[in-house]
Amino acid sequence: MKNIAVLMGDGVGVEILEQTIRVLDKVSSIYKLDFKYHYTPIGGNAYEETGTPLPNKTIEIAKASDAVLLGAVGDWKYDILPPELRPEKALLGIRKKLNLFANLRPVKVFDELLHASPLRPEIAQNTDIMIVRELTGDVYFGEPRGIERKTTLDGREIKVGFNNMIYDEDEIRRIAHVAFKSAQKRKKRVCCVDKANVLDVSRLFREITAEVAKEYSDVELSYMYVDNCAMQLVLNPKQFDVILTGNIFGDILSDEASTICGSLGMLPSASLSDGNTPFLYEPIHGSAPDLKGKNVVNPIATILSAAMMLNYSFDNKLAADNITRAIKETLKEGYRTRDIFNKENGDELVTTSKITDVIIDKIR
Ligand code: IPM
Ligand code: MG
């Protein structure tokens, strides 16, 4: 039996995970996987229920599981809460508690969706990038941080906000190893993306990455400044194999890169630890509170995240590939949720549950 902690979260997180569980049930029946789901709240709904967005019970259930599936957290109605009670805090909290330092965000465009990309098809086609984003350090977690008061030279009292962009060499080394190992299974190229022309922390990032590279003589290492990378991603995304980067740059670049695939609703992610705690799988998109309960959002990012779970946590590439093939066939037949819908293309606009029905039907 495989124990899966299911943290649906807020907004559309609930419906995309409900649909994903249906897909997993089908896969489970084919491969006799015997999944047991353990539902537990996180984010805004956890706050409503327990007064905290990340209850201890949720952390315990997640830690005791074989893998964690997460939907999305957040709603504008919580914007008035102090930072430590906001849903996003729970997301950062669970990543930290489970030591999920390596976030893999594959950016692979389906040929069937080339027309949905804002890039010209010949530019978007064959894009296949693995963004390896460090997930438990950087300005996201660096201390000191806060908003304080200070007195200016001319005697006025004003507020000052600050965060600390910080990485130590152990943190850099372990994420660099993940990037190089990933590249070894791909096209054997790592591009380290940073801002080393300005930031000291980036200079250290480069230095340590270069050291780690010596252990992977079969992998070619290059460097790129993050501003240039943002541009290169839309100019010529095919040039990239593995992008190794820190937490904040990875956050920004992965949203940008998702549009190459036609929609933010297409990008899955896997967050890996050193192996002593379970891995977590979630779409890279947010909770879209305005779309909640409307049965219109794209479940594919979450379904692909479940496929990554089968691959990375349960070592079942066959099942994972089965899901990916079913998605490809579904797209080939023209079924589209509205984020990837294009009338001129003759697409058929369908709901979240309908596109999942079709995908499930094609898993065999
Ligand atoms: C992501 C999200 C989160 C992040 C937010 C919701 C805290 O944007 O997973 O990319 O910044 O990591
Ligand atoms: Mg993000």
Side-chain angles (χ1 to χ4, degrees), residues 181-200:
K181 289 204 168 83
S182 167
Q184 280 183 321
K185 297 191 199 118
R186 299 172 45 96
K187 290 183 219 118
K188 300 192 168 49
R189 284 186 283 118
V190 170
C191 181
C192 173
V193 173
D194 57 46
K195 191 70 187 173
N197 49 347
V198 176
L199 302 172
D200 301 295

Side-chain angles (χ1 to χ4, degrees), residues 95 105 133 140 250-252 254-255 284:
R95 289 171 179 171
R105 299 190 158 185
R133 169 192 179 194
Y140 273 64
D251 177 45
I252 299 167
S254 58
D255 266 35
I284 82 154

